[in-house]
Amino acid sequence: MNSSPSQNTANKNRSYKIAVFGGDGIGPEVVREGLKVLSAVAPLEGFTYETTEYPFGSERYLETGELIPESVFDELRGFDAVYLGAIGDPRVEVGLVERAIIAGIRFKLDLYINLRPIKLYAENLCPLKDKKCSDIEMVFVRENTEGIYTAIGGIMKKDTPDEIAIAESIWTRKGCQRAIEYAFELARKRNKDKKVTLVDKANAIRAMDIWTRTFEEVGARYPDIKREHAYIDAACMWMIKNPEWFDVAVTDNMFGDIITDLGAMIQGGMGIAASGNIHPGRVSMFEPIHGSAPKYKDQNVASPVAAIMAVSMMLDHLGEESAAKRIETAMGDILRSGKIPSLDARSGVKTDQAGDMIADHVTEITAPA
Ligand code: IPM
Ligand code: MN
């Protein structure tokens, strides 16, 4: 993907242990296609892997009352990567299982970077007028362990007229700094504008000035990288008006969550956008950014492309750049060919057919030297 600094090049035996969480809704079916593509690419690139499936998700919670045992987080540290489909089910209290599993993995493994590339592969997929593929090629670095996601706060006097709800947003110097440093390193490595844009809201939320100041301090150590700044509201406007203006952007957890859904739409939809939850040098987790889309569960209509791109990001992180690139190229070719005309559930292409197309095409790609 040319988007994340590769981590595990020291792993010389090129044999990987991957923990798989299919999860809820369309999660298991899109993950199946991701694993299909992985199994096609591994022999071509000369690496091996083994997968271990974890059954946790809403179904299991409804059956057993168990969310995810603490011991699983320790086990995950023994893997090379985690691959996750989607979590969420309307039959369960809102956010309960997502917080336990997705946020649980992010926080407990300290996966402090949420890397979200936004790239247009085929012009016909873009809802914006007159935008070329080269206009939409950016990557968001979303801080992934702080902000308003820390669950500091609560509700008092619930369901009374005196009810009080508090959610505090936490930003630490260390948290801002490591996200910002990652963004500058990434901008240096990428072959684009050598630019990092900080997205915050320090005009209205004064405490967010910690981001602005840390950005200036860290940025001063990268004289070869340009610094830009945008408030989150303006950044949303720029994403639509002039997406070509972005190269690497770094932002807080919640703003990063929101603006990358917008980003997914300008690259063609939630059916293509993937993400890496990364702690450089440690086991990291890769997932599509879309949700579990319960209404499409088991209908074989969901786009598996985002889950396949998550495999590409995972391989890049593992140091298998050539395999990552091969998947990305195959996927881009298929999209430009029009064989997958859209990335929503109405594309007319079945989930498993889309997976087959990409898995077949990876064998036809010449690996980059
Ligand atoms: C995402 C999701 C999660 C988030 C939810 C499921 C907790 O929307 O990965 O973007 O808000 O981070
Ligand atoms: Mn989200």
Side-chain angles (χ1 to χ4, degrees), residues 22-99:
D24 298 330
I26 60 169
E29 42 197 301
V30 296
V31 154
R32 200 174 303 134
E33 302 312 311
L35 294 175
K36 186 189 279 176
V37 173
L38 180 63
S39 74
V41 94
L44 298 168
E45 296 284 345
F47 67 86
T48 58
Y49 65 94
E50 63 186 62
T51 56
T52 304
E53 299 218 12
Y54 283 90
F56 304 105
S58 303
E59 204 70 57
R60 163 115 176 175
Y61 172 69
L62 288 168
E63 277 165 23
T64 68
E66 180 174 51
L67 286 165
I68 178 169
E70 276 302 310
S71 58
V72 171
F73 300 108
D74 292 329
E75 277 173 44
L76 292 181
R77 293 192 184 91
F79 285 84
D80 294 297
V82 181
Y83 181 43
L84 184 140
I87 303 285
D89 187 308
R91 294 171 297 169
V92 180
E93 180 195 315
V94 174
L96 179 72
V97 189
E98 294 90 318
R99 285 196 305 276

Side-chain angles (χ1 to χ4, degrees), residues 246-257:
F246 290 92
D247 176 4
V248 176
V250 59
T251 193
D252 135 81
N253 205 344
M254 175 164 241
F255 293 159
D257 174 47

